[in-house]
Amino acid sequence: LWFLLIMFLIWFLRAPLRLHENLDQLGFFMNSLTPKFYVALTGTSSVISGIILIFEWWYFHKYGSSLIEQLALTYVAPFIGGIDLPEKPVQSECKVWRNPMNLIRGCEYFKFMQVTGSSPLTHYDMNLSSHGPSE
């Protein structure tokens, strides 16, 4: 529907806007661009993207959420019929598994094996983790 409306407006306003002349000028302008312009354009966009990436990383580490996502939800979503943000963030329930070895992981696992000569994970631990949560 929007596409048809825009196409109708372009067709209706083609004479007052002098679209044919403007398209000719646009073609002349595009043909006169040099490779230096494209190098400058890509370099500038890369620098801007880098600045956005660094700022996004800093914001995420400081506040724990994406700046761009927050801006989109706050300022853009209301204009396009977006979602209502809850007052308090809803946190899903999290099941904590028992770990008798106090969260031993990675290199600590191998160090424990070398020092004691036994595996820190018992058959009970393996079975507990393979059967899923018990209610």
Side-chain angles (χ1 to χ4, degrees):
L1 180 65
W2 285 104
F3 179 73
L4 293 174
L5 181 64
I6 290 171
M7 292 305 293
F8 175 75
L9 282 174
I10 289 173
W11 179 79
F12 185 73
L13 297 172
R14 71 186 184 281
L17 294 177
R18 295 179 288 182
L19 288 178
H20 185 68
E21 294 172 17
N22 290 335
L23 287 176
D24 288 342
Q25 290 176 356
L26 179 66
F28 177 73
F29 174 74
M30 294 300 287
N31 287 332
S32 67
L33 294 176
T34 64
K36 282 185 191 179
F37 169 78
Y38 292 108
V39 169
L41 181 68
T42 55
T44 305
S45 68
S46 296
V47 168
I48 292 171
S49 296
I51 291 170
I52 291 170
L53 178 68
I54 290 168
F55 189 73
E56 181 74 21
W57 174 82
W58 169 79
Y59 189 89
F60 182 78
H61 280 279
K62 185 170 183 178
Y63 298 107
S65 63
S66 168
L67 172 68
I68 295 172
E69 183 180 356
Q70 292 298 318
L71 291 174
L73 288 174
T74 305
Y75 297 108
V76 178
F79 289 112
I80 57 174
I83 60 170
D84 293 329
L85 295 175
E87 296 286 328
K88 277 185 166 179
V90 178
Q91 191 140 15
S92 62
E93 188 175 326
C94 178
K95 179 81 172 172
V96 179
W97 288 86
R98 285 181 45 210
N99 189 345
M101 295 311 295
N102 197 17
L103 297 174
I104 191 167
R105 299 286 186 258
C107 61
E108 294 173 351
Y109 178 88
F110 293 111
K111 185 176 180 182
F112 184 88
M113 281 185 63
Q114 287 176 350
V115 170
T116 63
S118 65
S119 175
L121 293 175
T122 64
H123 289 288
Y124 174 77
D125 298 324
M126 300 290 191
N127 288 334
L128 183 65
S129 65
S130 67
H131 291 297
S134 59
E135 295 297 322

